[in-house]
Amino acid sequence: MKKVVRSNVTNLPFSLHDQIVIGFAAEDNRLEMLFKSGFLSITGPLKQVQGKIEFEKVDWDFCHVYVLEFPEGHCNLGNFQGKKMELLDFIKQNKNIRFEIIDETYGYNTSKFDGYLWDETSMKECMVEIYHLGDMNYLIEEEEGEE
């Protein structure tokens, strides 16, 4: 039997685990994901860098957000009620968000982020799926003295 290997994505320059998304900016077929404190560099010295992420050639028809609410107040286990919505509708309804990314998954033209959506009174499980035919770019703010 012939063996064909699909390697895990291990060459990511930054980790989004435990990073806080504070908003999204959508324009035409481009999407920006805005962060409270940037993200963690994992290719060189481990350090937090300020920046945002840009997705090019977004196909909005296939971008969705899932929000799961747990009546008992505990996420991850038990009964839940949920809602699936278009990403653009989610962005319009949630101008000031706090979405903590726990896991990031990358596949065929898709970037998916799982985590927790926080507000003043509750925590909900949240999944954001972004379907994009273009690149995912990390836009890093340069520190003083860098060029």
Side-chain angles (χ1 to χ4, degrees):
M1 180 173 288
K2 181 179 177 181
K3 179 179 178 179
V4 177
V5 176
R6 182 205 50 91
S7 298
N8 282 332
V9 177
T10 58
N11 62 344
L12 295 173
F14 301 96
S15 171
L16 303 181
H17 177 73
D18 285 341
Q19 304 308 308
I20 306 293
V21 176
I22 58 170
F24 294 91
E27 185 176 325
D28 298 324
N29 66 350
R30 195 174 64 78
L31 174 70
E32 288 183 350
M33 185 183 290
L34 311 172
F35 290 85
K36 179 180 179 183
S37 301
F39 23 85
L40 184 66
S41 173
I42 56 177
T43 56
L46 295 179
K47 69 177 186 172
Q48 194 77 14
V49 296
Q50 294 296 321
K52 58 188 174 182
I53 292 178
E54 172 188 65
F55 299 91
E56 298 176 342
K57 299 180 184 175
V58 174
D59 189 337
W60 297 109
D61 291 334
F62 300 103
C63 295
H64 298 98
V65 175
Y66 303 79
V67 178
L68 309 179
E69 296 183 54
F70 293 79
E72 293 86 26
H74 304 288
C75 287
N76 294 328
L77 298 173
N79 296 324
F80 64 87
Q81 293 182 336
K83 174 169 44 170
K84 177 181 179 182
M85 65 186 83
E86 293 182 357
L87 178 57
L88 286 174
D89 290 339
F90 177 81
I91 292 169
K92 289 176 193 170
Q93 294 171 17
N94 296 279
K95 297 292 182 192
N96 298 312
I97 66 166
R98 184 173 186 257
F99 172 51
E100 180 178 356
I101 295 175
I102 301 300
D103 192 26
E104 53 189 303
T105 308
Y106 303 101
Y108 181 75
N109 294 335
T110 302
S111 298
K112 180 179 171 186
F113 306 96
D114 300 318
Y116 299 107
L117 188 62
W118 299 82
D119 63 26
E120 296 81 30
T121 60
S122 68
M123 176 178 75
K124 300 170 186 148
E125 198 166 333
C126 184
M127 294 162 271
V128 177
E129 294 178 340
I130 302 167
Y131 189 85
H132 54 103
L133 300 167
D135 291 330
M136 173 181 159
N137 304 308
Y138 298 92
L139 305 176
I140 310 302
E141 292 180 18
E142 293 185 33
E143 296 178 13
E144 287 192 35
E146 288 185 343
E147 288 191 33

